[in-house]
Amino acid sequence: MSPGKLFAFTLGVMSATGGFLDIGDLVTDAQVGARFGLRLAWVTVLSAIGIVCFAEMAGRIAMKTRRPPMSVARSRLGPRYALVTMLASVAVTGLLVMAELSGVALALEIASSIHYLAWVPLVALVAFLVLWMLPFEAMERVYGVLGLTTIVFVVAVWKLGPDWGGLAKSALTTRPPEGETWAAYAFFVAALVGAQMTPYESDFFGSGAVESRWRPGDIAEMRVNVFVGFPLGACIAIAIQAVAMLVFFGPGVHVEHLSQTTLPVSIALGKVGLLLAIVGVFAVTFGALLETLFAAAYDIAQYFGWSYGRLQKPARDARFMTVVILLLVAATAFALTTVDPIRVTIVAVTISGMLLPFMFFPLLLAANDRTVMGSMANGRISNAVGSVMLVVTSVVATAAFPLLVLTRGGSS
Amino acid sequence: MSRRAAASGVRAGHPRRAALVALLLVAAAFASLWYVQRPPRGEESYRNRTAQTAGTLRSQVVTAQLWAEQVHDDRAMTQAADVGIREAEAAAQSATSTQATWDLPDGVPRGVRTEAVALGDEVTTLVGDMRLAAHAEDWAEVHELSTRAPRLARRLTEFEQAVKP
């Protein structure tokens, strides 16, 4: 393999790793670790399997049809279905834009002690300038590389000198600990699934595959990105749960702020570790901000048939970029109302979980259509895993909102 | 009925049905929001929510203590610790003021509310003092104040256990 190809593979893996992690993950993993230990790590494993399955399907659809996979998928179920799912997806992704924007600002606050609201407009401006001026592949490389600093959470687990047997026992226990209810346990199952299988991930991945002009010959590269990148992200997510467990579970501390997510790394690794954790949080949330902006704009542009793209000059895609800018402005305005971004994140990931089966079912249908996919149609493994994940996400979708209300967002 | 009249009736029905569905969804959303935000009703709910308040207050005081210790041990930047302590104070203030606004249901002694609010005030005062010392860059004072946190955390845990139904 040539060095250039290896570099491209590595970057793709790093982008996928960072893509798994975002503000929803950072917050939810820390909350889960502090309250439940590793008793919900199995959900992260399941979510990783699910996102790998559907992102790979989305990539294959894009390669074969040279069309955005969600556009192909939705067209099978009619314009009304496509419109409703598009609107719902844009609404949830729009909430996540605000959450990611606030996440970047919160990371800057932790580093500088300047209130995050002062950073919000500046971050929005920088995001706009980055989107307008920088080629997207350059952006991906930067936040992909920087996002790897989140590996510091894995190192922190080891440095905290845990009882590995205790960690394993926690991971293999599937009931809530004493003092926690089954309702809260179930809510966080739904929240984790929504946070780690967000619809925008497979949407962005598939649309990106079209823009990068991936062809069937690139399937190996696509699969390496997916099969290595997302599971790596899942490992880091479990590490965040583990460090939160090791520091907060015993004293009964609940995580309510992003700064608490980084505190265990400080305890384990000191200032250098804390700095790396802050850089990692900044990188994954900034990367997710760009991805959610694009994913929401892709949805709208693809539905209305506008030209779009992250690889073309912005001036060539005026309507696409206008949507991006409007989303950024709306997210900034919403963040500046001082609504708690952590609460917004919890609500957004829960609603995201409710949308999953409506996103994945059409993908499964499209990937099985041999008249379109030919030899690249789903095999038995893809169908088996995809079908199981569809059932799982359907259960999550049904229970998510009632649990959000009954547990008051996981508070009880 | 003619085919055209029937078709127009069906077309006219769709927007009305869509509007009705949208209205029901909005009503459900507002009802859910009200349910989530409403104060506790009944003794069991009040005791549970008061226990949660105690848990929240313990979380904030322990978090502030941990940040202070990391700065003392030169394991955290003061900027990050300052943010952590500030957030802990804000969360403690919010939990205490929310607790204080709830009506006391029948069957709950007034002393429960009094103690919950008093503990909340103690946490807010302690963490607030830590914040002020941090802003004054007096991290030795922050560390000195943080040594009071473990005892306060134990009292909160005892109160949480005692108040649960």
Side-chain angles (χ1 to χ4, degrees), chain A residues 68-75 202-203 299 302 358-360 362-363:
Chain A
M70 289 312 296
S71 174
V72 171
R74 286 174 187 148
S75 65
S202 46
D203 198 358
D299 271 342
Q302 288 162 10
F358 301 101
M359 302 296 180
F360 290 155
L363 269 182

Side-chain angles (χ1 to χ4, degrees), chain A residues 356-379:
Chain A
L356 288 174
F358 301 101
M359 302 296 180
F360 290 155
F361 175 61
L363 269 182
L364 198 55
L365 280 183
N368 269 292
D369 188 344
R370 290 197 176 271
T371 58
V372 172
M373 298 293 290
S375 59
M376 292 183 78
N378 273 2

Side-chain angles (χ1 to χ4, degrees), chain A residues 304-350:
Chain A
F304 290 108
W306 299 341
S307 68
Y308 67 90
R310 52 184 196 173
L311 296 182
Q312 302 187 66
K313 288 196 174 164
R316 295 191 60 186
D317 308 307
R319 283 177 292 191
F320 176 78
M321 283 309 294
T322 301
V323 169
V324 169
I325 290 165
L326 286 175
L327 281 169
L328 202 48
V329 168
T332 305
F334 188 27
L336 291 175
T337 62
T338 74
V339 65
D340 183 356
I342 305 301
R343 280 189 197 270
V344 170
T345 301
I346 296 296
V347 170
V349 300
T350 308

Side-chain angles (χ1 to χ4, degrees), chain B residues 81-97:
Chain B
D82 182 52
V83 169
I85 293 169
R86 191 168 68 209
E87 287 174 338
E89 184 195 8
Q93 275 176 339
S94 173
T96 305
S97 62

Side-chain angles (χ1 to χ4, degrees), chain A residues 231-250:
Chain A
L232 257 180
C235 288
I236 296 171
I238 292 175
I240 295 172
Q241 294 172 27
V243 295
M245 171 188 172
L246 292 169
V247 172
F248 296 132
F249 186 77

